[in-house]
Amino acid sequence: MNTDDREFLNYCYNLTCSFPCSLFAALAYGIASMAMVFINKAILMQYTHSMSLITFQQLATALLIHVGRKTGYTKAKGVDITTAKGLLPVSLFSNANVAFALASLKGVNIPIKRLIPLAVLIAGFFSGKGKPTAQVILSVVLTAMGVIVASIRDFPPDLLEYTMALTSVFFQTMYLVLVEKSGTEKGLSSIKIMFYNSFLSLPFLLFLILANGEFPNSLVLLLAKLCST
């Protein structure tokens, strides 16, 4: 057996071993993504304080990562002012995306959020990331076509709800582009970006729920619902 034959066999072996893992990862991502949307929609039907929900989520995320850092489960470091300033746009886009997404969930068909891969693909192309493979383009286009077909039942659409949903798609696209850029250029892990995102979001979100009168009524309602289950 010559060198070329051995390299070909090694390639086939690696491909065979990696395919089940890749398939499992893709299925797990798809299930988690769809479950998250359905669960959010179900929660908002019972608990209408969407901004308080975002605040509690970001607080829980920041606390969990902080506890993980203190106990040695994560390698995330403490807050660095320079890094925080650089990730401030990431936090703003992330919270704007979640706010518009939750606001639009009540009246918009769920598959509209699946337009995000197409938006990210277009944004990456114009930002100089390069042309993706034909397989990636075909997959994204088929997903977008499925979104259009699934959204037909919402015709005629609610312009306000669809405007908020599409605005959410735009904000999430910008968030994903900035996260990728931050990870590549600044060497930040996903855990670090998640921590800074939650940490930077809290002052802004706390101001919003106090200004619009959600808090403390939203907390009282949440505790009442938890006790009634």
Side-chain angles (χ1 to χ4, degrees):
M1 182 181 295
N2 56 36
T3 304
D4 292 337
D5 291 334
R6 280 199 291 278
E7 290 180 356
F8 177 74
L9 289 176
N10 288 332
Y11 170 78
C12 293
Y13 175 77
N14 293 331
L15 184 64
T16 302
C17 292
S18 63
F19 178 74
C21 296
S22 301
L23 181 61
F24 175 77
L27 290 174
Y29 170 78
I31 293 172
S33 179
M34 291 302 298
M36 181 178 64
V37 177
F38 281 108
I39 291 172
N40 283 340
K41 191 175 181 71
I43 290 174
L44 287 177
M45 289 180 178
Q46 303 293 327
Y47 186 80
T48 57
H49 301 296
S50 59
M51 295 307 300
S52 295
L53 195 64
I54 301 171
T55 306
F56 298 148
Q57 175 191 348
Q58 298 289 25
L59 178 60
T61 301
L63 288 176
L64 285 173
I65 295 177
H66 177 70
V67 171
R69 182 173 64 86
K70 289 294 185 180
T71 55
Y73 283 98
T74 65
K75 297 181 180 179
K77 298 180 180 179
V79 177
D80 178 72
I81 300 299
T82 303
T83 304
K85 288 181 180 179
L87 291 177
L88 184 59
V90 174
S91 178
L92 293 176
F93 280 119
S94 173
N95 286 284
N97 158 54
V98 176
F100 277 94
L102 292 178
S104 65
L105 270 178
K106 297 178 182 178
V108 174
N109 194 4
I110 286 176
I112 195 70
K113 291 287 289 179
R114 304 279 76 80
L115 284 175
I116 292 172
L118 178 61
V120 171
L121 191 70
I122 295 173
F125 177 77
F126 284 104
S127 63
K129 187 177 178 181
K131 184 179 178 181
T133 63
Q135 185 178 4
V136 171
I137 295 175
L138 180 61
S139 300
V140 171
V141 170
L142 287 175
T143 302
M145 291 175 62
V147 170
I148 296 173
V149 172
S151 301
I152 290 177
R153 67 178 184 178
D154 285 342
F155 188 84
D158 186 320
L159 292 180
L160 177 60
E161 298 286 352
Y162 264 78
T163 299
M164 288 192 294
L166 292 174
T167 304
S168 169
V169 170
F170 167 76
F171 282 131
Q172 185 166 359
T173 301
M174 297 304 299
Y175 165 75
L176 293 172
V177 170
L178 288 176
V179 165
E180 183 179 8
K181 185 177 180 181
S182 299
T184 302
E185 295 182 356
K186 302 177 182 179
L188 299 175
S189 66
S190 57
I191 296 294
K192 288 182 181 179
I193 295 175
M194 192 183 302
F195 174 74
Y196 276 101
N197 180 36
S198 300
F199 177 79
L200 294 171
S201 300
L202 286 174
F204 175 70
L205 292 173
L206 287 172
F207 171 78
L208 281 182
I209 62 175
L210 289 172
N212 65 11
E214 279 193 19
F215 191 84
N217 294 332
S218 58
L219 180 60
V220 174
L221 178 60
L222 179 62
L223 293 175
K225 287 187 174 295
L226 289 174
C227 293
S228 63
T229 55

